[in-house]
Amino acid sequence: MPGHSHHSVQVAVAHQGTFVIEDLQGRQRRTNAAIVPADQSHAFSAAGAWGVVAHVEPESALGAELIELVDDPSHARAWDHAGQTLITGHSAYVEGRLRSPGNTSHPLHPGVAAARSHLQAELDSRPIRLRDLAATVHLSESRLSHLFAQDLGITFRAYVRWLRLLRATAAVAQGRTLTDAAHLAGFTDSSHLTRTCRRTFGGPPTAFSTIRWEILPT
């Protein structure tokens, strides 16, 4: 897949063969396991390999544990090393923790927690405005914007786009058409969804029609 980034910790484990992971500087590693921290630009090629790719929310306890295994968040060598640590020293962790992600790794500000809950219910709306959400959770617009960056490590606008994409790709995985998935998640149309998916995951949303896709709760 071409270079892309997403607001999730990516865990890739090849049960057969190997894959290639590449960082923003073009440094490549051929490996059978890797952990890529959230929001890091990377390219991923798994041609000929078979295994599991999981996306874990960085705010979750599991996400925090995975990130701690990575010495240098921007370097492919560190992603590879973290993956090897995961599969050689944490076999039960791989099998169990990816299925039971647990709670958030740190308490979110109550306003951010309330805003996240509200966003999940409003994703089919276009547009979602920060000022409206701030009023709903009884914070100023600037304060809520600051808290999103502080607690989630991502801007409000980027987080809304991320949630929309998760909803849309999950819908495609369930057999919905691109048009239905786009409208369900609040994208303008299927073309808008496709462009966003390519930038984020390095491929089109139709790729999710052939894989099992689960959104793990935080």
Side-chain angles (χ1 to χ4, degrees):
M1 291 182 177
H4 59 282
S5 65
H6 36 69
H7 188 61
S8 59
V9 182
Q10 179 173 324
V11 183
V13 178
H15 294 162
Q16 179 178 318
T18 58
F19 56 85
V20 176
I21 198 86
E22 180 180 321
D23 62 30
L24 184 61
Q25 304 304 319
R27 296 170 294 214
Q28 293 185 346
R29 302 286 289 188
R30 179 169 288 279
T31 182
N32 64 337
I35 299 172
V36 183
D39 305 308
Q40 292 294 327
S41 294
H42 64 285
F44 179 82
S45 176
W50 176 84
V52 174
V53 176
H55 289 271
V56 181
E57 287 201 12
E59 297 82 31
S60 68
L62 174 56
E65 290 179 39
L66 292 169
I67 292 169
E68 286 181 0
L69 297 178
V70 184
D71 294 331
D72 182 349
S74 66
H75 205 298
R77 182 179 60 189
W79 304 341
D80 178 14
H81 182 264
Q84 301 311 310
T85 300
L86 182 68
I87 63 174
T88 58
H90 299 71
S91 57
Y93 179 95
V94 174
E95 296 300 323
R97 291 288 284 134
L98 288 178
R99 294 176 174 81
S100 303
N103 298 317
T104 53
S105 60
H106 61 277
L108 298 176
H109 185 282
V112 174
R116 281 175 31 140
S117 297
H118 187 74
L119 282 173
Q120 292 287 355
E122 296 295 325
L123 285 180
D124 56 350
S125 301
R126 293 193 300 269
I128 296 176
R129 296 183 174 86
L130 176 60
R131 65 174 179 269
D132 296 335
L133 185 61
T136 299
V137 299
H138 310 293
L139 291 172
S140 70
E141 187 174 342
S142 60
R143 177 62 173 160
L144 183 58
S145 177
H146 171 76
L147 288 171
F148 259 89
Q150 174 184 283
D151 283 14
L152 304 181
I154 189 173
T155 66
F156 168 77
R157 184 176 181 181
Y159 189 70
V160 171
R161 185 168 57 246
W162 171 244
L163 291 182
R164 290 193 191 282
L165 189 56
L166 289 182
R167 176 172 289 188
T169 51
V172 172
Q174 293 164 5
R176 305 291 286 270
T177 68
L178 289 186
T179 298
D180 285 347
H183 291 163
L184 179 67
F187 285 96
T188 305
D189 51 32
S190 60
S191 295
H192 183 199
L193 168 59
T194 298
R195 290 193 302 271
T196 303
C197 192
R198 286 187 180 279
R199 287 196 304 268
T200 305
F201 289 115
T206 50
F208 291 91
S209 64
T210 59
I211 64 175
R212 184 181 177 206
W213 180 244
E214 293 184 42
I215 301 174
L216 301 180
T218 54

